[in-house]
Amino acid sequence: DKNNKTVIKGNEVTNPGTATELNGIHINGSDYVELAENKVYDVAGCGIYIYMSKYCSVMKNEVNGTVKNGIYVTTECDGATITKNTVNGAGDISIMTYQAPDSVVTDNEVNTVSSLAGTRISQSNGSLITGNHVTGAYKKREIWVTGSEKSDPCGETAPITVTDPSPPPSVF
């Protein structure tokens, strides 16, 4: 429960193997997990992978050089919070939620050259995506939202909010 959460903090993971199913940090079926201030480098799978785990928070982590996704939160991961992370050089998608409704993806720094997208939100209705800074995404998919389910008979999609980061202040 939320009063008795698991905390994974201040760890460093480097090159855990060459198989693409090997993730740097892997959470499965564990609700209310907090991942904070971890560093993950050179991973054949995902840097941080969370599966079927509700109300998890991923904050202030650094992920560098993954073959797959940098941070991937997938399948029944309601209410995830992904904030203030840095992801560099993810091979697929830097930050992705899939079937993670009511999630918050905010204030992340994503630097990529060849990955498919900077941030992808898929089938994660009611999510808030704000204040992220994404550079270098392939085919200009800095923030990519797909697969919202229908929320009314008129065909409108369930609400997802995306806002651009504030521009830096001008100096004159």
Side-chain angles (χ1 to χ4, degrees), residues 12-155:
E12 187 171 314
V13 178
T14 303
N15 194 9
T18 58
T20 56
E21 67 272 4
L22 295 176
N23 302 309
I25 298 173
H26 186 114
I27 309 298
N28 186 344
S30 302
D31 298 342
Y32 298 101
V33 174
E34 178 183 307
L35 289 94
E37 300 171 18
N38 298 289
K39 295 181 179 181
V40 180
Y41 302 100
D42 302 321
V43 178
C46 296
I48 297 173
Y49 179 86
I50 301 175
Y51 176 73
M52 294 185 74
S53 301
K54 296 180 180 185
Y55 311 110
C56 292
S57 63
V58 181
M59 59 186 172
K60 297 182 180 177
N61 297 283
E62 184 179 318
V63 178
N64 293 292
T66 61
V67 173
K68 289 185 161 183
N69 299 322
I71 299 171
Y72 188 24
V73 178
T74 181
T75 313
E76 296 181 28
C77 288
D78 305 23
T81 300
I82 304 167
T83 187
K84 297 183 179 176
N85 299 284
T86 301
V87 180
N88 296 303
D92 195 1
I93 296 171
S94 296
I95 299 174
M96 180 168 177
T97 65
Y98 174 73
Q99 295 181 350
D102 303 315
S103 292
V104 175
V105 180
T106 185
D107 298 323
N108 297 287
E109 180 76 27
V110 172
N111 301 299
T112 183
V113 175
S114 62
S115 69
L116 182 60
T119 301
R120 182 175 179 192
I121 310 302
S122 181
Q123 297 181 30
S124 297
N125 300 309
S127 292
L128 172 66
I129 302 96
T130 184
N132 298 287
H133 185 251
V134 181
T135 58
Y138 181 68
K139 294 188 178 180
K140 301 299 179 197
R141 291 181 174 148
E142 284 83 4
I143 298 175
W144 186 19
V145 179
T146 60
S148 291
E149 67 181 41
K150 305 298 180 189
S151 61
D152 71 24
C154 297

